[in-house]
């Protein structure tokens, strides 16, 4: 098999460069034809790799490419996820080489999408091709490459729901994340979930003049600020009753394992341009952003926001508030708790509405699961050292999509997901080989 | 003099109707020519009334009309303020009669600007005309009628500053307010001042993904909400140190006098569509909105405010905050206190900027002043009962304009202002006659 990789190396590279030349910018409708061309390119390479049913599935946006190879219905099935669309490349003049004319410097490919995500998912296709062409696949493989990851994966959720049987798998392999560094390979084992709501506070039935009414009636902005402020206590903990009830408290051993990831607080602060970090008392910055649930206001608006000064006492004020969830919190339960609590703390004289937006389940791959061990072993083979498990970084939209309309629970059978940055076909092969067990 | 009024009544009315036919909508540039035509109309009527120097003073916006009659340099001088511009009249189809074709029904004139403010200031001109034509003016009179009141009086401040000698007066007579009712005539004796600031909280040097950073770094919106919430205590009092130090605490007798104004709390709540009022403990709604200083957020914005959900952890959040001031608070001192306090309560990890907008001095006309007594007597002559003194309602922009750039203090010589709703020339005459003493 190594022979196959060696003897086809140049062709693999040339094909990837061809794919990188296609400006598949999903955000810009001027590139709509190019986005489709990239999808067709991927479909053809999936066919060439020996996969069955390679085809474009239309959506109201860009098509999703799907292919599969079922070798034995009794063996495990791996669903590989990736995306063939890229971010816009403007401003072009800041590129050292043209974004859609890939060039190789110091053994690195420079092009829009080389890392995110064409390079990563193409590696999977070539690993599958090599295995099919030589010893055969050790397990069943399904490949789903979408074209809207960079614009929010708006149609992935529906596609997944409508094709639950086709996509059924034992493990999802996502290669759309990063590693800590080449010296410190790492494996994403968890992603926080999400509960997202929009709130509105209404006071008087019209905007008032603050000179006439100021001090006499509730100001919805002041009230909203007070209600939001009360959602955290002095230790930075969320005050919603029951919020932490189902939170998975990690053991000291687990926390020690996570703490192995190198982290330079000074560098972190320097990068963000802040003088200090902030968060829940008793947890490190890495823990605060990975194993702990949080509440953040993502947007707020009300009253006069234009130039200069207007002394309006507004009728309404609104905010978008999201909570990051950890196992075993669920978006539905947390959204319900938030709504009940937020309404309960409203003072007399205002009305409160809470509108839930989407939610997403938190995901964790147990480090002692066969899937995590398979991924870990694959990394070790490629890097010569075990990867460090990390949690909390946002990977692709996939886990969130899987959980939209969670009442339907169409994916309870997806027991595990692994986010695996893939820079060499060997890793993929090692993973697939191990997973078959 | 009563004869003069009686014999010219129809002409006075016809002239007012002519003025009301001019669509002097200051907000809409399509009416620019009409606004100027109204100014010229007013100028000509001031000349016809026997006033000197009647002329248009150009501004970058609409012109200001000024005229004066100095009868004796040793007598007091009254500056009459009004505005000849009107609010837009759309939607036209909701008018029972066309807004710029005045019609009289049940002895009331229906037209845009009939009350606000053409009817009111025109009464002053006709009172002056009658006095000049018969017994002569008992005191000096200056008349300043602007054309931008409905769009914020942007150029009045500069005009007043540049013409301080010309405008010098002992008392300003403003007829641009309302009375409680025809059964309960009232006189505005006070207006709260204003300190207006814009604040900005900056966290990280860029917008962050809340999934990656949420819980680990300061969220400027959350921080802003907490800081704003802390500006009031549980009794609804402003927590800025020193904020109440110079506040004029009224005596029980003074509070009892103000409490004479009829007030129906149920009707107030019904009108505003609220279930309850809110404000500083220990004060009535009327007191909260008149004799007590307050702090209101007039606008707030930050993060994602569009449709749907975005999990941004924003770099910045902003708010416009204004404080209503009472005697003897000053905008400069309060702005300074606010700035120092607001910066002092910022947590580590964020930076705070405070940008002062404009300010305005609080005004109160002492009820035992000769000017208030003159106005009170004038009302009594017209209505057969004493007016109730009221405070806190917004009158015209004039007092605020007078105080812009208060460091210059060009109007310290304006010792008193009276806001006097004027529905009959007799009241004006009685006022002017009394003020001469």
């Amino acid at each position: 098999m190594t022979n196959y990789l060696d003897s086809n190396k140049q062709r693999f590279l040339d094909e990837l460069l061809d794919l990188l030349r296609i400006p598949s910018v999903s955000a810009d409708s001027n590139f709509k034809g190019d986005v489709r061309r990239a999808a067709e390119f991927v479909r053809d390479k999936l066919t060439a790799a020996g996969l069955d049913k390679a085809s474009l599935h239309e959506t109201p946006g860009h098509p999703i490419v799907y292919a599969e190879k079922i070798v034995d219905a009794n063996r495990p099935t791996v669903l590989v996820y990736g995306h063939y669309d890229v971010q816009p490349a403007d401003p072009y003049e800041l590129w050292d080489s043209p974004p859609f004319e890939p060039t190789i410097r110091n053994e690195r490919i420079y092009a829009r999408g080389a890392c995110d995500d064409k390079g990563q998912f193409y590696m999977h296709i070539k690993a599958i091709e090599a295995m099919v062409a030589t010893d055969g696949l050790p397990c069943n493989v399904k490949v789903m490459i979408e074209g809207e990851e960079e614009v929010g994966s708006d149609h992935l959720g529906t596609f997944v729901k409508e094709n639950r049987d086709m996509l059924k798998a034992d493990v999802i392999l996502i290669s759309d994340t990063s590693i800590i560094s080449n010296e410190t390979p790492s494996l994403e084992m968890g992603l926080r979930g999400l509960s997202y709501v929009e709130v509105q506070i209404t006071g008087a039935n019209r905007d008032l003049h603050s000179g006439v009414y100021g001090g006499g009636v509730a100001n919805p902005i002041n009230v909203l600020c007070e209600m939001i402020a009360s959602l955290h206590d002095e230790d930075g903990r969320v005050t919603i009753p029951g919020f932490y009830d189902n939170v998975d408290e990690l053991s000291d051993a687990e926390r020690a394992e996570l703490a192995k990831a190198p982290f330079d607080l000074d560098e972190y602060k320097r990068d963000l341009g802040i003088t200090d970090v902030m968060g829940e008392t008793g947890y490190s910055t890495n823990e605060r952003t990975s194993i702990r649930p949080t509440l953040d206001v993502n947007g707020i608006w009300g009253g006069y926001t234009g130039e200069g000064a207007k002394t309006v006492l507004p009728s309404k004020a609104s905010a978008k508030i999201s909570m990051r969830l950890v196992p075993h919190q669920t978006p539905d339960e947390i959204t319900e708790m938030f709504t009940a609590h937020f309404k309960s703390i409203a003072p007399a004289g205002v009305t409160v509405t809470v509108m839930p937006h989407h939610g997403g389940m938190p995901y964790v791959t147990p480090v002692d699961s066969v899937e995590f061990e398979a991924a870990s072993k694959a990394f070790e083979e490629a890097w010569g050292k075990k990867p460090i498990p990390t949690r909390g970084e946002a990977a692709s939209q996939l886990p969130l999509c899987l959980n939209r309309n969670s009442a339907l629970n169409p994916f309870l059978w997806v027991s595990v997901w692994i986010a695996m940055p893939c820079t060499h076909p060997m890793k993929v092969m090692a993973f697939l080989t191990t997973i078959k067990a």
Side-chain angles (χ1 to χ4, degrees), chain A:
Chain A
M1 192 150 57
T2 314
N3 280 347
Y4 186 87
L5 290 179
D6 285 344
S7 55
N8 288 282
K9 193 174 173 184
Q10 190 58 44
R11 176 172 63 83
F12 287 1
L13 182 62
D14 290 342
E15 285 175 10
L16 176 57
L17 299 183
D18 281 344
L19 176 58
L20 292 171
R21 283 188 190 97
I22 305 174
S24 50
V25 180
S26 51
D28 186 341
S29 59
N30 290 320
F31 293 96
K32 195 170 161 53
D34 295 307
V35 176
R36 188 171 192 88
R37 200 149 54 86
E40 291 165 349
F41 183 99
V42 173
R43 176 198 61 198
D44 295 345
K45 296 307 171 200
L46 286 166
T47 299
L51 291 167
D52 302 324
K53 297 187 186 172
S55 54
L56 267 54
H57 293 257
E58 302 300 336
T59 77
H62 302 298
I64 293 167
V65 188
Y66 176 80
E68 64 177 39
K69 185 85 184 174
I70 309 298
V71 292
D72 183 342
N74 294 320
R75 292 213 190 152
T77 301
V78 175
L79 173 63
V80 176
Y81 164 87
H83 64 92
Y84 63 83
D85 64 323
V86 299
Q87 287 270 354
D90 347 48
Y92 281 49
E93 63 272 20
L94 297 183
W95 285 75
D96 290 329
S97 54
F100 298 110
E101 188 42 63
T103 58
I104 298 174
R105 298 192 292 275
N106 298 323
E107 298 207 309
R108 287 159 191 250
I109 302 172
Y110 290 86
R112 170 58 87 216
C115 284
D116 183 10
D117 183 49
K118 288 174 174 173
Q120 297 213 41
F121 79 73
Y122 208 66
M123 209 63 77
H124 288 270
I125 298 178
K126 294 297 113 178
I128 293 166
E129 176 189 321
M131 295 175 101
V132 170
T134 55
D135 304 333
L137 281 170
C139 60
N140 304 315
V141 168
K142 296 177 176 182
V143 179
M144 174 175 73
I145 313 291
E146 70 156 324
E148 297 186 295
E149 199 275 343
E150 301 294 4
V151 288
S153 300
D154 277 347
H155 304 108
L156 186 61
T158 304
F159 174 77
V160 164
K161 243 190 319 183
E162 290 176 352
N163 295 281
R164 58 175 83 185
D165 288 332
M166 178 176 84
L167 296 171
K168 195 163 190 254
D170 299 286
V171 55
I172 305 172
L173 183 58
I174 298 171
S175 282
D176 192 20
T177 53
S178 55
I179 56 174
I180 293 172
S181 70
N182 269 323
E183 291 67 46
T184 312
S186 57
L187 255 175
E188 283 289 342
M189 56 172 287
L191 179 69
R192 288 190 288 181
L194 185 71
S195 163
Y196 199 113
V197 297
E198 187 167 323
V199 301
Q200 186 176 65
I201 309 293
T202 305
N205 50 20
R206 59 186 187 271
D207 283 359
L208 304 174
H209 191 295
S210 80
V212 182
Y213 292 94
V217 300
N219 178 327
I221 303 180
N222 287 71
V223 168
L224 177 60
C225 287
E226 281 157 28
M227 291 170 70
I228 287 172
S230 80
L231 295 176
H232 286 97
D233 68 14
E234 285 177 6
D235 288 322
R237 282 173 68 90
V238 177
T239 57
I240 299 168
F243 187 76
Y244 293 95
D245 281 0
N246 294 329
V247 166
D248 212 7
E249 297 286 348
L250 270 65
S251 68
D252 288 349
E254 285 173 301
R255 291 177 69 178
E257 183 67 19
L258 286 172
K260 283 183 184 168
F263 179 72
D264 183 335
L265 186 61
D266 288 334
E267 173 51 33
Y268 187 81
K269 292 194 285 190
R270 203 162 30 240
D271 172 53
L272 296 175
I274 54 178
T275 55
D276 209 350
V277 293
M278 186 183 272
E280 189 181 352
T281 304
Y283 294 91
S284 71
T285 294
N286 269 342
E287 287 173 337
R288 289 166 175 171
T289 58
S290 61
I291 62 170
R292 298 303 294 169
T294 59
L295 183 150
D296 270 298
V297 184
N298 303 107
I300 194 167
W301 67 101
Y304 180 69
T305 59
E307 289 262 317
K310 264 196 183 170
T311 54
V312 63
L313 199 163
S315 169
K316 291 174 194 303
S318 301
K320 292 177 193 275
I321 299 175
S322 70
M323 287 149 285
R324 288 284 161 184
L325 313 181
V326 300
H328 301 98
Q329 295 176 303
T330 68
D332 286 351
E333 142 201 287
I334 293 294
T335 300
E336 209 170 290
M337 277 180 194
F338 176 91
T339 305
H341 176 66
F342 203 70
K343 289 187 170 179
S344 77
I345 60 175
V350 301
T351 55
V352 176
T353 58
V354 179
M355 182 176 78
H357 280 296
H358 69 259
M361 284 287 282
Y363 273 75
V364 163
T365 304
V367 288
D368 56 1
S369 64
V370 58
E371 295 83 2
F372 189 87
E373 278 171 19
S376 185
K377 191 176 158 200
F379 268 57
E380 203 175 348
E381 278 191 29
W383 264 288
K385 57 173 115 172
K386 270 190 186 299
I388 285 175
T390 58
R391 277 173 70 168
E393 198 174 320
S396 80
Q397 304 282 339
L398 187 63
L400 294 183
C401 283
L402 290 178
N403 282 281
R404 278 186 193 159
N405 303 309
S406 61
L408 295 172
N409 278 331
F411 289 96
L412 281 181
W413 42 263
V414 178
S415 59
V416 170
W417 72 278
I418 298 274
M420 179 175 172
C422 181
T423 54
H424 195 282
M426 285 301 292
K427 289 214 305 295
V428 181
M429 291 177 199
F431 176 79
L432 294 178
T433 305
T434 309
I435 207 76
K436 78 171 180 204

